[in-house]
C-alpha cells in the first residue's frame, strides 16, 4: 500500500485537486442558481409547489442515468461533469434557500420598509444576510453530496479520483485492486473533510455575529 | 410641551381617508379627517382593531389608502416616491424592530446610510443619539440587538427613528413591550427629547395614562377609525364627548388628573446633599443641624446616587458610591401619578427630582396629597 501511494504520489494529489476543484466550481454555480430560483419562488408564491416538485423528482434521477442523457449533447470532458454535479448540488441549496428566505421575520421586513429601504436593498441587506446561515448549511450538504456525484461523473468522463475506485472495483482480485479502491475512497473522504472545514470557516466569516448560533 | 420654541416638525393632514382591505365588508378606516399641528404629539387610542395602526401606516405609505388624501407640510404624500418619503419620516415600532444582524450603531445609522451621509457623520450621529436616549456609546455602539435588554432595544429603536432628524415621527405602541418602571423612564426620556426637538409625533398606544402623559392631543377612535373625540388631555378628562369616550378614559378620572399635573408644577423641598468622598462626620453634622435624618448623595455631575439615612452613612468614614440602581428618581416633567408610583418604593416619603439627569430637589408625599386636597376643595 505504501509503495502504491509512493509511486503515484503526484497523480493522487493531482486527481484530488481535480476532484475538489470540480466540486467547488459546481458549488459556486449551484449556489447562484439555487439562491436565484429561491428568490423567484419566494417572491412569486405561486411557483413554490413547482420548485418543491422539481427538487423532489430531481433527487430521484440516478446520476449514471443523467450522465447517460448528457453524453450525446456535451460529449466527454469537464463541461458535462460540471453540469451533472451542479444539477444535484442545486437541490439542497435551493431547498434551504427557500426555507431560509421564507423564515425571515415579516416584522423585520416591514421595519426595514418603514425605514425607507427599497426591495433591492432589503434583499441584499436584510433578507439574504438573515437567511445566510440556513443557505450555508444547504451548501455544506451539497458539498458532501457532490463529492460522491463527482466520483461517478469522473468514472464516465475522466478527471478526479473516481477512476481509481472504478479501476479497483473492475479488477477485483488483481494485484492493485484493493489499493486503487482504498486510495480513491479515502482520498475523496479527505478532500470532503477539507472542503467542509473550509466551508465552516467561510460560513463563520460571512455570518453576522448578531445571528450566529 | 408648550414652551416657546421653534417647531422643527411638520403639519400632517388627513382628508377623508378611507382604507378598505380586500375582501372585507367594512372599511378598516372609514372617512378619517384629522389635522396634527406641527411640533405636537398626538396619541391615537381606541379598542383593538379600531384602525389605529392602519391609520398610522397610511401616513408613511406602508399601507396605501383606498381613497382620500394625506398631506405633510401641505404636500400630498402620494406625489413622492414611497421609499424617499419613508426616509423623511421616523418610524418606531414595538420592541424596536431592530435588524438582528446589525450592530446598534449600524441600526441607528440605517437611514443616514440610505441618505448617503458621510460615514463619519453617521457614526457621530449614532453616538450623539445613544447619549440622548441614555445609553453610553462606548459600551453599546458595537453590540448586537440580542445583547441588549428589551428596554435598551426600545431605546435604540427610538434613536433610529430620530437619526436623520425627520420632521415627523410615527410610533406604534413603542413602549408596549417593556416593564412598567422602564416604560416610565422611556416616556420621561421621550418627553425630554421632544421638549428639545419639537417633532410632530403620532403615537399609537393602548394605555390611556400614557396618552394623557405624553400627548398634546389625544385621538380616541371607535371601530372603523371613526373619531370619538380629538382633544387635549385636559378636555378629554374633564369633558368626554360621549359615553364611548368616557368609558374609554375609564373611571377614576379624578385620579387620572394626576397624570395631567407635572412634578415641576409643585414646590420641591431641598434636603441636605453631599458628594462622594466627603467626610461623613461633617455631612452628619450638617444634616443634624438642619434637623434631618437622611441626606442625598450626588456624583460629580450632580446626578443623584442614593438617598440614605444618617445611620447607614455612618458605617463608613467617607461618603461612598452605593452603586445601586435607583428607583425613586423622577424627571421634573413626570406626572404626579408617576411620582406617587416612585414614592411607593421609597422609605423617605418622597422622590428625588431631576432635570436633564441633574438633581434639583425632592418632591414629598405630603406636598402631593396637600395639592390633591386643595384641588378637590377648589372644585366642590
Ligand atoms: N393586512 C390586513 N388585511 C386585512 N385586514 C386587516 C389587515 N390589517 C388590519 N386589518 C383589519 O383592519 C382593522 C384595523 O386594524 P388595525 O391593525 O389598524 O387595528 P389597531 O387599532 O391597530 O388594533 P390593535 O390595537 O389591536 O393593534 C382590523 O379589523 C383588522 O382585522
Ligand atoms: Mg395596532
Amino acid at each position: 500500500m505504501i509503495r502504491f501511494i509512493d509511486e503515484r504520489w503526484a497523480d493522487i494529489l493531482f486527481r484530488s485537486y481535480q476532484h475538489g476543484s470540480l466540486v467547488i466550481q459546481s458549488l459556486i454555480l449551484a449556489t447562484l442558481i439555487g439562491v436565484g430560483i429561491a428568490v423567484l419562488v419566494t417572491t412569486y408564491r405561486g411557483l413554490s409547489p413547482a420548485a418543491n416538485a422539481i427538487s423532489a423528482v430531481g433527487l430521484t434521477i440516478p446520476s449514471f442515468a443523467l450522465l447517460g442523457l448528457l453524453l450525446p449533447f456535451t460529449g466527454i470532458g469537464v463541461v458535462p461533469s460540471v453540469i451533472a454535479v451542479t444539477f444535484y448540488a442545486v437541490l439542497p441549496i435551493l431547498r434551504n434557500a427557500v426555507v431560509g428566505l421564507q423564515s425571515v421575520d415579516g416584522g423585520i421586513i416591514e421595519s426595514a420598509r418603514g425605514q425607507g429601504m427599497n426591495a433591492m436593498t432589503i434583499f441584499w441587506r436584510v433578507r439574504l444576510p438573515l437567511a445566510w446561515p440556513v443557505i450555508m448549511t444547504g451548501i455544506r450538504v451539497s458539498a458532501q453530496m457532490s463529492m460522491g456525484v463527482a466520483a461517478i461523473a469522473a468514472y464516465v468522463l475522466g478527471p478526479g479520483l473516481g477512476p481509481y475506485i472504478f479501476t479497483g472495483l473492475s479488477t477485483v482480485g488483481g494485484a492493485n485492486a484493493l489499493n486503487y479502491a482504498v486510495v480513491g475512497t479515502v482520498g475523496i473522504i479527505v478532500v470532503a473533510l477539507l472542503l467542509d472545514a473550509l466551508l465552516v470557516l467561510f460560513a463563520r466569516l460571512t455570518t453576522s455575529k448578531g445571528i450566529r448560533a | 410641551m408648550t414652551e416657546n420654541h421653534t417647531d422643527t416638525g411638520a403639519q400632517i393632514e388627513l382628508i377623508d381617508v378611507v382604507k378598505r382591505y380586500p375582501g372585507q365588508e367594512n372599511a378598516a378606516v372609514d372617512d378619517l379627517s384629522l389635522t396634527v399641528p406641527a411640533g405636537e404629539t398626538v396619541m391615537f387610542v381606541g379598542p383593538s382593531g379600531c384602525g389605529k395602526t392602519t391609520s398610522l401606516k397610511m401616513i408613511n405609505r406602508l399601507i396605501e389608502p383606498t381613497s382620500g388624501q394625506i398631506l405633510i407640510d401641505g404636500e400630498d404624500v402620494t406625489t413622492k416616491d414611497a421609499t424617499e418619503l419613508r426616509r423623511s419620516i421616523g418610524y418606531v415600532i414595538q420592541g424596536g424592530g431592530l435588524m438582528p444582524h446589525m450592530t446598534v450603531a449600524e441600526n441607528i445609522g440605517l437611514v443616514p446610510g440610505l441618505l448617503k451621509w458621510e460615514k463619519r457623520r453617521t457614526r457621530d450621529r449614532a453616538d450623539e443619539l445613544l447619549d440622548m436616549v441614555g445609553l453610553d456609546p462606548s459600551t453599546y455602539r458595537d453590540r448586537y440587538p440580542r445583547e441588549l435588554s428589551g428596554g435598551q432595544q426600545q431605546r435604540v429603536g427610538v434613536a433610529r427613528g430620530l437619526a436623520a432628524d425627520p420632521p415627523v415621527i410615527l410610533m406604534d405602541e413603542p413602549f408596549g413591550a417593556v416593564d412598567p418602571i422602564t416604560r416610565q423612564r422611556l416616556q420621561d426620556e421621550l418627553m425630554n427629547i421632544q421638549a428639545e426637538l419639537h417633532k410632530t409625533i403620532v403615537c399609537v398606544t393602548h394605555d390611556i395614562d400614557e396618552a394623557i402623559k405624553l400627548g398634546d392631543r389625544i385621538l380616541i377612535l371607535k371601530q372603523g377609525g371613526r373619531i370619538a373625540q380629538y382633544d387635549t388631555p385636559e378636555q378629554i378628562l374633564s369633558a368626554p364627548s360621549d359615553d364611548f369616550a368616557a368609558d374609554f378614559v375609564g373611571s377614576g378620572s379624578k385620579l387620572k388628573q394626576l397624570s395631567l399635573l407635572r412634578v415641576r408644577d409643585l414646590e420641591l423641598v431641598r434636603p441636605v446633599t453631599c458628594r462622594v468622598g466627603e467626610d461623613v462626620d461633617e455631612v452628619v453634622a450638617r444634616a443634624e443641624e438642619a434637623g434631618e435624618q437622611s441626606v442625598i448623595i450626588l456624583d460629580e455631575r450632580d446626578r443623584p446616587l442614593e438617598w440614605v439615612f444618617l445611620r447607614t452613612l455612618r458605617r463608613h468614614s467617607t461618603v461612598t458610591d452605593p452603586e445601586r440602581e435607583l428607583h425613586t428618581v423622577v424627571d421634573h416633567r413626570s406626572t404626579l401619578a408617576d411620582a406617587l408610583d416612585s414614592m411607593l418604593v421609597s422609605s423617605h416619603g418622597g422622590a428625588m427630582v431631576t432635570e436633564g439627569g441633574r438633581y434639583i430637589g425632592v418632591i414629598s408625599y405630603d406636598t402631593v396629597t396637600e395639592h390633591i386636597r386643595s384641588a378637590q376643595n377648589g372644585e366642590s
Side-chain angles (χ1 to χ4, degrees):
Chain A
M1 171 74 89
I2 294 173
R3 248 192 57 210
F4 177 85
I5 295 175
D6 207 35
E7 280 167 4
R8 291 168 183 74
W9 189 229
D11 187 49
I12 294 170
L13 266 188
F14 181 65
R15 282 169 182 276
S16 302
Y17 160 77
Q18 278 183 320
H19 203 98
S21 148
L22 171 62
V23 169
I24 289 174
Q25 288 177 38
S26 306
L27 270 185
I28 293 173
L29 254 171
T31 304
L32 292 177
I33 296 170
V35 174
I37 298 176
V39 170
L40 287 179
V41 167
T42 49
T43 314
Y44 309 100
R45 292 190 182 275
L47 293 177
S48 191
N52 285 335
I54 291 172
S55 60
V57 173
L59 282 173
T60 65
I61 301 177
S63 30
F64 262 120
L66 179 71
L67 290 165
L69 287 173
L70 282 174
L71 271 179
F73 299 102
T74 57
I76 294 180
V78 180
V79 175
S81 297
V82 170
I83 292 179
V85 176
T86 304
F87 177 84
Y88 290 99
V90 164
L91 304 174
I93 297 176
L94 170 60
R95 204 162 2 147
N96 276 41
V98 168
V99 170
L101 288 172
Q102 273 172 350
S103 64
V104 175
D105 180 8
I108 294 195
I109 305 281
E110 175 154 272
S111 165
R113 286 213 302 144
Q115 310 300 320
M117 288 183 156
N118 59 28
M120 203 62 157
T121 320
I122 289 178
F123 174 74
W124 287 109
R125 293 196 46 204
V126 182
R127 291 179 65 205
L128 191 60
L130 288 177
W132 190 243
V134 183
I135 297 175
M136 270 314 297
T137 308
I139 294 176
R140 281 177 62 196
V141 171
S142 253
Q144 300 310 305
M145 224 179 67
S146 303
M147 284 293 163
V149 178
I152 294 168
Y155 170 62
V156 179
L157 307 161
L161 288 165
Y164 268 45
I165 300 177
F166 288 99
T167 308
L169 292 180
S170 57
T171 57
V172 173
N176 274 325
L178 189 65
N179 283 337
Y180 270 118
V182 169
V183 169
T185 311
V186 172
I188 287 176
I189 293 173
V190 170
V191 175
L193 289 176
L194 275 177
L195 180 60
D196 196 50
L198 271 177
L199 286 174
V200 169
L201 187 70
F202 181 71
R204 254 193 99 71
L205 293 177
T206 52
T207 303
S208 156
K209 236 178 84 193
I211 52 171
R212 234 180 256 162
Chain B
M1 300 177 201
T2 46
E3 298 103 302
N4 282 335
H5 56 71
T6 45
D7 293 330
T8 56
Q11 174 179 287
I12 306 172
E13 240 177 310
L14 281 72
I15 305 168
D16 303 328
V17 172
V18 176
K19 177 65 193 182
R20 198 181 297 277
Y21 287 108
Q24 283 185 8
E25 201 174 315
N26 297 316
V29 174
D30 197 0
D31 203 20
L32 179 64
S33 294
L34 179 78
T35 302
V36 180
E40 288 204 359
T41 303
V42 169
M43 309 295 290
F44 286 10
V45 296
S48 186
C50 69
K52 303 181 292 293
T53 298
T54 303
S55 305
L56 188 82
K57 284 185 182 168
M58 284 193 285
I59 298 175
N60 69 357
R61 289 179 65 194
L62 281 176
I63 294 176
E64 298 286 356
T66 311
S67 66
Q69 256 192 325
I70 296 174
L71 311 179
I72 295 180
D73 229 359
E75 256 188 279
D76 191 328
V77 293
T78 54
T79 59
K80 278 199 193 171
D81 175 60
T83 56
E84 298 279 327
L85 173 79
R86 292 184 199 125
R87 289 171 196 176
S88 66
I89 299 178
Y91 185 53
V92 181
I93 56 177
Q94 187 174 111
L98 303 180
M99 304 290 139
H101 60 300
M102 297 183 188
T103 62
V104 164
E106 286 167 346
N107 266 288
I108 298 176
L110 211 59
V111 182
L114 293 170
L115 293 171
K116 306 251 182 320
W117 284 20
E118 247 177 84
K119 286 233 160 53
R120 196 200 168 82
R121 182 173 166 217
T122 304
R123 209 174 35 228
D124 291 348
R125 179 68 176 155
D127 281 2
E128 181 188 346
L129 284 162
L130 279 174
D131 230 9
M132 197 185 278
V133 297
L135 294 173
D136 175 34
S138 62
T139 312
Y140 291 103
R141 70 164 84 87
D142 293 325
R143 288 213 190 167
Y144 287 91
R146 68 170 176 194
E147 300 165 325
L148 303 179
S149 72
Q152 291 166 340
Q153 291 188 26
Q154 195 59 71
R155 285 185 162 91
V156 176
V158 171
R160 186 177 65 178
L162 292 165
D165 207 20
V168 172
I169 298 171
L170 308 179
M171 304 182 144
D172 197 345
E173 305 197 29
F175 310 136
V178 295
D179 66 274
I181 292 181
T182 309
R183 184 179 316 150
Q184 188 209 308
R185 291 251 169 100
L186 287 165
Q187 290 167 347
D188 288 349
E189 280 162 16
L190 183 66
M191 280 196 299
N192 279 325
I193 291 169
Q194 172 66 347
E196 203 178 307
L197 302 178
H198 305 291
K199 303 292 183 187
T200 306
I201 299 180
V202 179
C203 178
V204 170
T205 178
H206 261 121
D207 178 358
I208 184 71
D209 293 302
E210 178 168 274
I212 293 168
K213 176 174 176 182
L214 296 179
D216 294 307
R217 286 159 200 264
I218 298 175
L219 175 74
I220 303 182
L221 287 176
K222 299 187 207 189
Q223 213 59 39
R226 271 184 288 269
I227 299 180
Q229 188 167 9
Y230 180 42
D231 220 324
T232 59
E234 290 79 1
Q235 282 297 313
I236 297 241
L237 284 179
S238 58
S241 61
D242 59 6
D243 287 351
F244 183 88
D247 272 353
F248 200 79
V249 171
S251 55
S253 70
K254 265 274 160 38
L255 272 176
K256 292 220 161 65
Q257 305 267 3
L258 286 175
S259 298
L260 287 175
L261 292 165
R262 309 287 162 171
V263 168
R264 63 169 171 203
D265 299 333
L266 269 58
E267 198 162 335
L268 302 182
V269 290
R270 290 189 175 69
V272 173
T273 62
C274 64
R275 289 181 192 272
V276 174
E278 267 190 90
D279 184 61
V280 164
D281 289 338
E282 278 175 31
V283 175
V284 169
R286 242 191 296 151
E288 282 175 342
E289 198 181 336
E292 285 173 26
Q293 302 298 316
S294 54
V295 293
I296 286 169
I297 307 176
L298 305 178
D299 73 1
E300 72 283 358
R301 288 169 64 184
D302 281 346
R303 289 175 302 203
L305 293 174
E306 182 60 300
W307 191 353
V308 290
F309 287 106
L310 295 182
R311 58 183 138 81
T312 316
L313 200 63
R314 282 203 187 94
R315 287 187 202 142
H316 302 277
S317 58
T318 56
V319 179
T320 49
D321 183 346
E323 288 175 359
R324 286 207 305 138
E325 212 195 330
L326 274 183
H327 292 305
T328 55
V329 176
V330 293
D331 188 81
H332 73 130
R333 283 195 189 81
S334 293
T335 64
L336 290 193
D338 287 341
L340 280 175
D341 266 356
S342 297
M343 286 174 195
L344 287 179
V345 296
S346 161
S347 44
H348 299 278
M352 293 173 272
V353 182
T354 56
E355 178 173 358
R358 294 166 54 153
Y359 168 84
I360 55 171
V362 158
I363 182 158
S364 76
Y365 182 73
D366 294 340
T367 315
V368 177
T369 48
E370 183 54 40
H371 188 91
I372 296 171
R373 203 171 300 126
S374 63
Q376 270 174 346
N377 291 340
E379 254 173 51
S380 55

